Amino acid sequence: MNKFKNILAATIVASLALPGIAYADGTVEVLHWWTSGGEAKAIGELKKAFEAEGGKWVDSPIAGGGGDAAMTALRARVVAGNPPTAVQLKGPGIQEWAALGALDDVQDVADEEGWDDELPPALAKIMKYDGKYVAVPVNIHRVDWFWANPEVLAKVGVTEMPTTWGEFNTVADKLKEAGITPLAHGGQPWQDATIFEDVVLGIGGADFFRKALIDLDQDALTSDTMVKSFDQLRKLRGYVDPNFSGRDWNLATAMVMRSEAGFQIMGDWAKGEFLTAGKVPGKDFVCAPTPGKGFVLNSDSFTFFKVTGEEKVEGQKVLASLIISPKFQETFNLAKGSIPARTDVTLDKFDDCAKKSHADLLAAIKADSLVPSMAHEMAVPRSVRGEFLDLVTNFFNSDMSSEDAVKTLAAAVKRAQQ
Ligand code: GAL
């Protein structure tokens, strides 16, 4: 059903009176950071669906994986008194903007459509402020993945994906000896933090991850386990090529595709790149969780900033309803590499990586080993995340010892909390 049905009638009347005015109905300006091949395809599906409803879409993409540049742009727009109508935002960021009174809620749409029955409770909680939905989730991404080129691994006789960091190091050493870059990586703080948190899960397990990266427990932050995690990060530093600095994550994915590297450690948005390039999972590329029992959760969502004008408010409601619709959740996530945020969408059309993600997600919920991503802003305030990113990047780009790293990190996190 056309969500703009009612106002469309008004539009026709208006356009008869004023030829040339195309839209008197819902409008959204959408600020997002989805500019890579797979990301652009996925957000393109949302634009298409919104326009099919008769709405007008104004695209405001801010390039930069992980969204740090987009968040800076958002702050500037809000300070200038000109917020976009819809913004890709997540985790504590949703709460922070809502607490400032900057967000409109879409509770009336949620009530009408029964969102509480359709979303996992843990996700619904993140989307609500003061008991009302101020955000709507579009997907569930998993952060702890290896992506590998099986043809490259076969060159050194490897046919199985590593299941421990020790095994990974052995394979990586073989690749290095054969003159192949073991790890495709982009040296940007959010990417460094992505591989760091995956290592922490593998070395310390989910409980340790939670203590150190979410609860910010000083004992965990200065523990031997954290020293060992930095030791493994130092190992990974030895497996990247000399030109890693500043490289975008999707270019690192392309290195794996082009057989220039064996692995990439990245969330499943990397799968969106492989698929957009026509690569076949299980054949051209393989996926496997990075070592460690658990699941590092990253969910993208959209928020609706307070704007004036009936057509903008209407646009927000239509967009919210579209995002949550089962059909859209399927189409979008097939392109994005993630799985639907709704629990009632079947995965029939999805590949084995997505099915594995879903099965492991359910198992992690059961085993209490589901952890929210620190690197992808699902867990800690931006100020604390900033300290992690700074330290991890400094470590990666210097010869800092693991012992010094944990001390400096623990002190910086403490300061950020005061
Ligand atoms: C993440 C986001 C993903 C993906 C990635 C790279 O933070 O949740 O959807 O786009 O950044 O840009």
Side-chain angles (χ1 to χ4, degrees):
M1 197 184 81
N2 192 315
K3 296 180 196 298
F4 286 124
K5 201 173 58 171
N6 297 333
I7 37 177
L8 263 185
T11 311
I12 293 164
V13 173
S15 56
L16 283 177
L18 288 169
I21 293 186
Y23 293 100
D25 51 352
T27 298
V28 284
E29 184 203 349
V30 185
L31 188 140
H32 62 90
W33 66 87
W34 286 334
T35 56
S36 77
E39 291 176 332
K41 188 167 175 212
I43 188 87
E45 294 293 349
L46 186 55
K47 176 175 187 274
K48 236 194 282 172
F50 188 73
E51 287 175 346
E53 296 289 342
K56 182 184 175 193
W57 174 284
V58 179
D59 205 33
S60 287
I62 309 285
D68 289 306
M71 292 303 102
T72 306
L74 171 64
R75 280 191 293 278
R77 289 281 304 264
V78 174
V79 169
N82 176 29
T85 26
V87 177
Q88 187 192 348
L89 200 68
K90 52 193 181 177
I94 297 170
Q95 306 299 317
E96 285 168 22
W97 281 108
L100 290 172
L103 302 185
D104 264 338
D105 71 76
V106 283
Q107 188 58 37
D108 49 348
V109 187
D111 283 339
E112 208 181 300
E113 301 183 348
W115 292 3
D116 275 345
D117 300 329
E118 295 159 354
L119 294 173
L123 213 53
K125 198 171 152 216
I126 298 172
M127 304 299 135
K128 289 182 185 178
Y129 180 76
D130 226 359
K132 291 183 175 162
Y133 280 94
V134 293
V136 39
V138 66
N139 63 6
I140 292 178
H141 267 308
R142 181 179 196 173
V143 182
D144 48 321
W145 282 116
F146 282 133
W147 304 95
N149 183 322
E151 220 178 82
V152 173
L153 300 196
K155 283 187 190 156
V156 292
V158 172
T159 52
E160 299 285 323
M161 292 291 267
T163 58
T164 64
W165 284 112
E167 278 177 28
F168 175 81
N169 297 342
T170 307
V171 178
D173 286 335
K174 281 188 189 163
L175 289 167
K176 211 172 162 176
E177 266 163 44
I180 302 165
T181 300
L183 185 63
H185 180 64
Q188 295 174 346
W190 73 272
Q191 292 188 62
D192 300 338
T194 297
I195 60 175
F196 169 72
E197 70 178 1
D198 290 348
V199 166
V200 170
L201 178 71
I203 303 282
D207 283 345
F208 177 77
F209 183 111
R210 225 173 264 140
K211 266 192 213 129
L213 304 191
I214 316 295
D215 301 341
L216 311 174
D217 178 278
Q218 285 285 317
D219 288 342
L221 284 169
T222 51
S223 64
D224 282 353
T225 309
M226 195 48 107
V227 172
K228 283 194 193 112
S229 302
F230 276 102
D231 287 347
Q232 177 58 32
L233 192 63
R234 178 63 70 219
K235 286 286 243 182
L236 296 183
R237 173 66 180 81
Y239 296 141
V240 306
D241 71 316
N243 302 320
F244 78 99
S245 195
R247 175 186 289 136
D248 287 331
W249 65 274
N250 52 318
L251 301 183
T253 312
M255 288 171 68
V256 177
M257 279 184 219
R258 291 195 305 255
S259 304
E260 290 167 17
F263 294 89
Q264 181 181 24
I265 299 168
M266 188 48 66
D268 40 21
W269 45 95
K271 196 182 74 189
E273 297 304 299
F274 285 109
L275 297 179
T276 306
K279 303 290 178 195
V280 180
K283 181 176 159 277
D284 302 321
F285 69 97
V286 282
C287 64
T290 55
K293 283 204 165 36
F295 186 110
V296 184
L297 173 77
N298 173 25
S299 169
D300 290 303
S301 44
F302 282 89
T303 51
F304 306 100
F305 275 65
K306 282 211 165 98
V307 285
T308 48
E310 208 181 310
E311 81 289 356
K312 289 185 182 169
V313 175
E314 182 65 14
Q316 292 179 325
K317 292 186 195 306
V318 172
L319 193 68
S321 170
L322 258 182
I323 290 173
I324 209 84
S325 69
K327 179 83 202 81
F328 173 74
Q329 292 254 330
E330 181 184 77
T331 318
F332 176 88
N333 286 298
L334 280 169
K336 188 71 173 66
S338 36
I339 57 174
R342 286 177 71 126
T343 44
D344 57 349
V345 178
T346 62
L347 293 180
D348 298 346
K349 293 192 187 153
F350 287 75
D351 57 45
D352 288 348
C353 300
K355 287 180 180 143
K356 169 113 188 98
S357 179
H358 184 246
D360 287 359
L361 174 71
L362 298 183
I365 292 172
K366 219 169 149 197
D368 197 24
S369 59
L370 178 70
V371 291
S373 167
M374 174 279 290
H376 293 276
E377 300 200 55
M378 295 300 295
V380 289
R382 280 189 76 78
S383 52
V384 174
R385 171 184 176 264
E387 297 297 346
F388 274 105
L389 264 59
D390 280 357
L391 186 279
V392 168
T393 289
N394 278 343
F395 177 84
F396 208 73
N397 291 287
S398 70
D399 57 3
M400 190 189 295
S401 72
S402 300
E403 287 75 14
D404 283 349
V406 302
K407 273 188 227 136
T408 315
L409 176 63
V413 166
K414 199 174 198 172
R415 264 200 317 276
Q417 287 175 282
Q418 280 158 4

